[in-house]
Amino acid sequence: MIKTIDELYKLKGRSKKMAVVACQDREVLEAVIESYKMGLTTPILIGDKERTYEISKSYGLDISEFQFIEETDLNKASEIGVKLAHDGEADFLMKGLVDTSILLKAVLNKEWGIRKFKLLSHVMIYQVDTYHKLLFLTDGGMNLQPNLEEKINIINNAAVVARALDLKEIKVAVLAAKEKVDPKMPATIDAAKLREMYLEGQFDKDIIIDGPFALDLAVSKTACEIKGIKSEVGGDADVLLVPNIEMGNGIGKAITYLANGESAGIIVGAKVPIVLTSRADDNRTKLNSIALGNAIAINA
């Protein structure tokens, strides 16, 4: 079981081919070059060749050893990257200087796209000093207000990431504003249904689900003791399943900016993992996300 983000870098195995869509971005290139030097990836750069080499020259970045496919049109660049993954010529994708919507449109193309499961979802992993292991947060990046069926898919997608990090039991806390089912709060109703489905054996055996939980109950044994909550998941959650993107975004940004948490992010549900980072993310976060993508690709 991997307990720190640093341990991701030890899961190298065979260097994986990573197609970088719209590579003409300094921060992206820096992370890609570092991942290559660490033996994590064999990069395939797709994008504006003139602009990319201009950036590499200006900042002293050596990309001479990488395969380069020139394409300035963002839609076509996305198509090239996805087709490489579709044909087994790339083990995972990384989003560069292209809108997420453009890349995902290519991923979901019915003819040559790479959708694998019913739903794509975003998983962040966080390392924070105040928690005893890595936290998986989903979905604070893609699905706005998932319904019950979508939450089932999001849980299963998160399990793919957790298994790649060698978790033998995947404890899922279904978050809401409180721990009691309230007919006026749909998140609590869904949480109770998900727990019931788990108890009926409708999830894989390594997945344990409990809820509804407020955040304190998911991550604090003390809070569980005070409130009289007895649960395998309470105070020891691996996965935080949020009811909407606002809660997911808020928890994630709070961990990053208020708790100095370290993170990595990935899109799952496609045939290959997709590294999706924000332009505001620092080089370390981008590199962490590449390492996470590599870890999942190794276990695919």
Side-chain angles (χ1 to χ4, degrees):
M1 174 181 171
I2 291 177
K3 292 187 177 181
T4 68
I5 285 179
D6 277 343
E7 291 178 57
L8 284 176
Y9 294 92
K10 299 177 183 178
L11 299 177
K12 294 179 183 179
R14 181 173 61 84
S15 179
K16 293 296 181 178
K17 294 180 180 178
M18 178 178 69
V20 185
V21 177
C23 60
Q24 56 271 13
D25 179 89
R26 177 173 65 87
E27 291 83 1
V28 168
L29 287 174
E30 288 175 341
V32 169
I33 291 169
E34 188 65 24
S35 74
Y36 172 72
K37 289 179 178 178
M38 297 179 74
L40 292 170
T41 66
T42 300
I44 304 170
L45 304 182
I46 306 164
D48 186 327
K49 194 168 188 177
E50 181 179 351
R51 178 59 183 149
T52 302
Y53 275 91
E54 181 181 294
I55 292 169
S56 65
K57 184 177 180 180
S58 296
Y59 293 94
L61 307 176
D62 183 8
I63 58 173
S64 60
E65 296 187 53
F66 303 159
Q67 179 182 349
F68 202 115
I69 301 173
E70 184 170 11
E71 182 53 73
T72 57
D73 182 274
L74 296 179
N75 288 284
K76 292 180 180 179
S78 298
E79 178 180 336
I80 290 169
V82 169
K83 284 184 174 179
L84 287 173
H86 178 273
D87 295 340
E89 296 178 30
D91 298 302
F92 65 113
L93 301 177
M94 181 178 186
K95 171 186 172 293
L97 201 62
V98 58
D99 289 346
T100 301
S101 59
I102 293 175
L103 179 57
L104 292 183
K105 181 180 179 182
V107 168
L108 297 174
N109 180 279
K110 292 182 179 180
E111 182 181 351
W112 40 258
I114 53 172
R115 181 202 290 270
K116 182 176 182 180
F117 301 128
K118 290 183 179 180
L119 187 76
L120 299 181
S121 57
H122 192 252
V123 180
M124 290 292 295
I125 63 171
Y126 289 96
Q127 180 182 324
V128 60
D129 290 342
T130 51
Y131 200 61
H132 57 284
K133 58 182 175 179
L134 294 176
L135 267 174
F136 298 68
L137 178 67
T138 191
D139 180 343
M142 282 194 67
N143 294 285
L144 305 183
Q145 190 89 27
N147 58 31
L148 180 64
E149 182 179 356
E150 289 168 335
K151 289 175 182 177
I152 294 168
N153 292 319
I154 290 170
I155 290 172
N156 288 328
N157 283 349
V160 171
V161 183
R163 291 176 189 129
L165 273 59
D166 201 30
L167 269 72
K168 304 306 181 187
E169 289 185 332
I170 305 164
K171 298 180 179 181
V172 181
V174 187
L175 298 188
K178 61 181 183 179
E179 66 273 15
K180 294 181 180 180
V181 177
D182 186 334
K184 295 181 180 180
M185 300 178 69
T188 65
I189 297 172
D190 281 357
K193 288 180 180 177
L194 289 167
R195 172 173 164 72
E196 182 179 353
M197 292 174 66
Y198 152 68
L199 293 172
E200 292 174 349
Q202 295 186 46
F203 285 90
D204 290 338
K205 292 183 178 180
D206 58 347
I207 298 174
I208 303 169
I209 299 173
D210 206 352
F213 280 156
L215 179 61
D216 59 341
L217 296 176
V219 299
S220 171
K221 286 288 188 184
T222 301
C224 290
E225 290 171 4
I226 292 171
K227 295 184 178 181
I229 301 296
K230 295 182 179 180
S231 167
E232 285 186 83
V233 176
D236 194 38
D238 297 298
V239 178
L240 302 179
L241 174 67
V242 298
N244 54 54
I245 197 169
E246 289 88 357
M247 180 186 279
N249 183 274
I251 291 174
K253 293 292 173 58
I255 291 174
T256 299
Y257 291 100
L258 298 178
N260 198 31
E262 191 170 355
S263 65
I266 204 82
I267 291 177
V268 283
K271 293 179 180 178
V272 302
I274 303 167
V275 177
L276 182 74
T277 58
S278 166
R279 294 210 68 189
D281 290 336
D282 59 20
N283 181 272
R284 171 69 176 183
T285 301
K286 288 182 171 67
L287 191 58
N288 290 345
S289 299
I290 292 172
L292 178 59
N294 178 70
I296 298 168
I298 288 172
N299 286 274

